[in-house]
Amino acid sequence: MGILYDDVVIISQSDKEGDPCVITVNCPDKTGLGCDLCRIILFFGLSIVRGASVVLYYRAEMQAPKPSDVFLLKLSCYDRKGLLYDVTAVLCELELTIEKVKISTTPDGKVMDLFFVTDTRELLHTRKRKEDTYEHLKTILGNAMISCDVEMVGTEITACSQASSFLPSAIIDMFHLDMPVELPSGSLTSSNVSVTIDNSLSPGHTLVQIVCQDHKGLLYDIMRTLKDYNIQVDELVSYGRFSRRQRGNCEIDLFIMQADGKKIVDPSKQNGLSSRLWMELLQPFRVTVISRGPDTELLVANPVELSGKGRPLVFHDITLALKMLDICIFSAEIGRHMIGDREWEVYRVLLDEGDGLSVPRNKIEEGVWKLLMGWE
């Protein structure tokens, strides 16, 4: 294909059915570019099975992206099983990103859904895009839909929609992980994840070698961790290789250097980077089911990037998992909370037990975890 010098995205379909297609992206480099590309791929429900990246040139002056406009989608309808997943699936199909949500069910069986969304196409302010959204929702909900309205909202409305600041102690306990065995040169290993940092195999770069089990969004988790660490310690990913082996195991080689063009030789930086990667790959999510008075609540949490962006499709996968388990949702909300020195996106879902919750709590946790990880 040759070397490309213009900004371009090329999608090459495979000749053989079932083989992966190839996405080639040529664009100026920037801090966290790999993370942003992996987030887009994850947003569209695609999986990366093989990858390589090379930085050919760097444009120093990059303008910060303009924050996306936030819209409030107010949806009123009659409740039924799988309702919230069906709505969420439509919004994902329309390429609308759910930033916040508040769901409540009234005693007479009606549901009021408040979705704060951004539009990846940046067209939701137009009449046609709003009508298209309405028609898609009407098609899936039918006569169950009572009303639907979309309006742009300001930051003050978004701030007023913040979820409860109270977090149960059970979810705080989920954030404590036992550290793995520490090896020389800032390397960490456990039964599931191995992170090795080596300065001897490349004359100009520090090599980060990762061996772990594949999961949905694996490369995104690695790249967002490096993006956040880049902001903290000024490191750059120069190039890398990704390959998937038998039994779902993955091997990733990343060649990185500091912003000054030198290797990472400081032991504290090596240990900090390897421990953060290990933690993020071992548990990219936290999932638990707790008692909330007489009711049962599902709690799911994932880290927020330092840029403020959350992980795509989490709410979609939570609602799909509960639909597959034949569990109804009574209420739901998404909020962000500072836990320790990090911001987390926390999903709180109050389960509708009806005549009693027939699915054991450990099965709910397992079902949600597997779907989030792409193992279901």
Side-chain angles (χ1 to χ4, degrees):
M1 183 175 61
I3 298 177
L4 301 173
Y5 291 98
D6 295 325
D7 297 356
V8 66
V9 176
I10 300 174
I11 301 178
S12 304
Q13 298 291 338
S14 61
D15 295 330
K16 184 179 178 181
E17 185 177 354
D19 285 354
C21 64
V22 177
I23 302 176
T24 303
V25 180
N26 191 80
C27 64
D29 191 24
K30 67 170 185 175
T31 297
L33 174 62
C35 172
D36 295 341
L37 293 176
C38 289
R39 187 194 307 106
I40 292 171
I41 291 171
L42 179 60
F43 177 79
F44 282 97
L46 304 175
S47 298
I48 301 172
V49 296
R50 197 163 57 247
S53 65
V54 179
V55 175
L56 296 178
Y57 67 97
Y58 178 72
R59 183 182 300 170
E61 296 182 2
M62 295 286 292
Q63 291 184 347
K66 175 188 172 184
S68 299
D69 292 327
V70 179
F71 294 83
L72 173 59
L73 189 154
K74 294 184 288 187
L75 179 66
S76 176
C77 52
Y78 294 103
D79 196 15
R80 61 170 171 77
K81 281 189 177 181
L83 170 70
L84 192 51
Y85 166 71
D86 292 340
V87 174
T88 303
V90 169
L91 298 183
C92 292
E93 180 185 347
L94 290 168
E95 299 175 31
L96 299 176
T97 302
I98 300 172
E99 304 291 345
K100 293 189 178 74
V101 66
K102 192 167 185 64
I103 311 297
S104 57
T105 306
T106 61
D108 60 353
K110 295 179 182 178
V111 177
M112 174 56 71
D113 297 345
L114 301 178
F115 292 94
F116 291 85
V117 300
T118 55
D119 185 5
T120 58
R121 300 184 186 179
E122 299 184 352
L123 293 173
L124 198 52
H125 63 283
T126 65
R127 180 177 177 179
K128 184 178 184 306
R129 181 71 160 150
K130 290 179 180 179
E131 290 177 348
D132 192 34
T133 301
Y134 176 91
E135 291 301 327
H136 275 74
L137 289 169
K138 182 66 177 177
T139 299
I140 194 68
L141 297 177
N143 294 331
M145 190 167 78
I146 300 172
S147 65
C148 177
D149 183 59
V150 179
E151 61 179 310
M152 187 184 297
V153 295
T155 55
E156 67 280 358
I157 301 297
T158 308
C160 291
S161 70
Q162 291 285 358
S164 169
S165 59
F166 170 76
L167 281 180
S169 58
I171 195 169
I172 304 298
D173 295 339
M174 293 194 302
F175 296 90
H176 301 293
L177 291 178
D178 294 330
M179 290 302 294
V181 177
E182 185 170 343
L183 302 174
S185 302
S187 302
L188 293 172
T189 186
S190 70
S191 59
N192 298 315
V193 179
S194 174
V195 180
T196 303
I197 295 181
D198 195 309
N199 278 316
S200 65
L201 297 178
S202 172
H205 297 84
T206 295
L207 173 61
V208 179
Q209 294 180 304
I210 301 170
V211 180
C212 62
Q213 189 171 8
D214 192 17
H215 66 257
K216 183 165 66 176
L218 170 61
L219 269 186
Y220 167 72
D221 288 323
I222 294 172
M223 292 303 177
R224 69 171 171 80
T225 302
L226 292 174
K227 178 181 179 180
D228 288 353
Y229 216 77
N230 181 13
I231 295 173
Q232 295 172 0
V233 299
D234 297 326
E235 292 166 6
L236 298 173
V237 179
S238 296
Y239 55 96
R241 294 190 295 264
F242 169 85
S243 59
R244 186 175 182 179
R245 305 301 184 188
Q246 292 181 344
R247 299 180 181 178
N249 291 325
C250 290
E251 296 179 1
I252 302 100
D253 293 338
L254 299 171
F255 294 85
I256 66 177
M257 60 182 176
Q258 298 183 129
D260 59 7
K262 297 180 180 179
K263 295 182 179 183
I264 303 172
V265 295
D266 186 340
S268 63
K269 288 185 177 181
Q270 292 183 6
N271 291 333
L273 178 58
S274 59
S275 61
R276 177 57 63 87
L277 281 168
W278 176 88
M279 182 176 64
E280 298 297 341
L281 297 180
L282 188 66
Q283 281 198 351
F285 304 95
R286 307 292 193 273
V287 180
T288 191
V289 177
I290 64 170
S291 295
R292 183 173 166 182
D295 303 315
T296 302
E297 185 175 38
L298 169 68
L299 296 168
V300 178
N302 60 266
V304 176
E305 296 175 27
L306 289 183
S307 64
K309 295 180 179 179
R311 187 188 190 92
L313 298 182
V314 176
F315 194 63
H316 170 277
D317 290 346
I318 292 172
T319 56
L320 176 57
L322 293 177
K323 181 178 181 178
M324 292 171 62
L325 291 168
D326 201 28
I327 297 175
C328 293
I329 297 172
F330 182 77
S331 66
E333 63 179 34
I334 304 174
R336 293 190 174 186
H337 304 267
M338 290 299 299
I339 300 174
D341 61 346
R342 305 191 62 192
E343 186 177 28
W344 292 76
E345 206 157 42
V346 179
Y347 300 77
R348 305 185 63 173
V349 182
L350 195 63
L351 306 181
D352 188 353
E353 301 188 49
D355 296 330
L357 196 62
S358 59
V359 182
R361 294 186 177 185
N362 65 319
K363 292 297 182 182
I364 298 175
E365 292 178 359
E366 180 182 353
V368 173
W369 172 264
K370 284 186 174 180
L371 200 62
L372 288 168
M373 296 291 282
W375 295 344
E376 189 63 52

